[in-house]
């Protein structure tokens, strides 16, 4: 595609793949033979290389470890029945990555480094894409500040990297969700729309406390009143009420613009739903539930695709659902997977051929 890009490729002598079974692999634990690494120094990206997966040697004063200038992405590659590899909507992740970079006062990564780097890396480790239903190759681009200086300021050096991790079926059981009223994930003016590492660190205590109460995840609410819903754990959230699908709107900058969210909006419209992006209060949900019109609640994200919610708890009010009877979320998941595994026509050109 972009011939001018100079990527130095150093291959492994022997693949680790031979000694590994790709059956029942836990998420994010195994990595392929190669990784991409690039350095930002003196205002430009250099030393772009694909090399054997290996540890990093970092100075203990590396700025990212102290001040958290660190962002990432999550993308998936799939194989069709003929063994051709495709990446799902990588340009959307590329654009989002640079929005995150801008918010965190980090340099943008050029399109050819991100997209062509990604394509080359996946091509090289193509044999690692499991050729099975519900399996895929998880792609993790990330960037962190790399100045060996503990003064609080934006770094002058950054490292951009891409790792690949084969993933098995994500047997995501329907979840029980606790509506969070004490902790906050994102506030207007903050970094909620950025895929910043710190967002995850800041969410773990709330999730741990919800787990102690017997719940799987929290439904985040707004920072001021804990009244308007934002996201479920690290997924975007949808509510089917009557013939309309609702999902929180993006204008406050407190919602991560999920690629799965965008895809779900398109597919739900094709399925005949009206889709409304707006403010949604917990009161709205309880009213709809009492009226018998809150039919389905589900989360969307790259890792698990669609996750059904079987219980939502707000204070002492419990909303329970019989997910076995649901039609919409399962149909949406099927349509999305049919596109990803090339079982249906890719009418939106979401699949990027490796
Ligand atoms: C990554 C992420 C999502 C899902 O985004 P996708 O692009 O669909 O994977 C949703 N919410 C948060 C907080 C995330 O970090």
């Amino acid at each position: 595609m972009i011939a001018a890009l100079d990527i130095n490729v150093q291959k492994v002598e022997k693949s680790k793949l031979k000694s590994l079974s790709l059956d029942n692999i836990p998420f994010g634990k195994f990595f392929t033979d190669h990784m991409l690494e690039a350095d930002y120094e003196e205002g430009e990206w250099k030393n772009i290389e694909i090399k054997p997966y290996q540890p990093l040697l970092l100075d203990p004063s590396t700025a990212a470890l102290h001040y958290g200038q660190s962002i990432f992405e999550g993308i998936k590659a799939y194989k069709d029945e003929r063994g051709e590899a495709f990446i799902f909507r990588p340009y959307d992740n590329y654009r989002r990555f640079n929005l995150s970079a801008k918010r965190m006062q980090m340099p943008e990564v050029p399109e050819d480094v991100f997209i062509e780097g990604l394509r080359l890396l996946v091509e090289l480790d193509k044999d690692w894409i499991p050729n099975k239903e519900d399996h895929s190759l998880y792609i993790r681009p990330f960037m962190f500040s790399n100045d060996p200086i503990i003064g609080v300021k934006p770094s002058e050096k950054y490292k951009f990297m891409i790792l690949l991790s084969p993933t098995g079926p994500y047997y995501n059981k329907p979840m029980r969700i606790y509506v969070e009223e004490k902790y906050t994930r994102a506030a207007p003016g903050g970094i909620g729309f950025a895929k910043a590492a710190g967002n995850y660190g800041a969410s773990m205590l709330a999730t741990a406390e919800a787990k102690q109460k017997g719940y799987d995840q929290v439904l985040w609410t707004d920072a001021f009143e804990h009244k308007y819903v934002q996201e479920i754990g690290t997924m975007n959230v949808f509510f089917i009420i009557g013939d309309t699908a609702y999902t929180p709107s993006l204008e406050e900058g407190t919602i991560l613009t999920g690629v799965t969210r965008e895809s779900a909006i398109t597919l739900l419209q094709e399925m005949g739903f009206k889709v409304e992006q707006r403010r949604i209060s917990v009161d709205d949900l309880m009213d709809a539930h009492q009226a018998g019109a809150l039919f389905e609640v589900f989360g969307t994200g790259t890792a698990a695709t669609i996750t059904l919610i079987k219980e939502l708890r707000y204070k002492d009010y419990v909303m329970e659902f019989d997910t076995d009877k649901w039609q919409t979320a399962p149909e949406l998941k099927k349509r999305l997977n049919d596109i990803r595994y090339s079982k249906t026509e890719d009418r939106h050109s979401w699949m990027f051929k490796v």
Side-chain angles (χ1 to χ4, degrees), residues 72-74 93 96 185 192 195 200 231 233-236 256-261 300-303:
F72 67 98
E73 269 305 326
N93 297 88
R96 185 171 73 191
R185 192 193 88 87
K195 222 165 167 73
Y200 282 68
E231 301 195 52
T234 59
M235 293 180 290
N236 294 115
L256 200 289
T257 311
V259 179
T260 320
R261 175 188 182 278
T300 66
T302 295

Side-chain angles (χ1 to χ4, degrees), residues 65-84:
L65 300 176
H66 301 269
Y67 305 124
Q69 261 188 311
S70 180
I71 59 170
F72 67 98
E73 269 305 326
I75 311 173
K76 275 183 174 176
Y78 303 82
K79 243 181 206 170
D80 70 8
E81 276 165 356
R82 288 163 307 160
E84 300 265 25

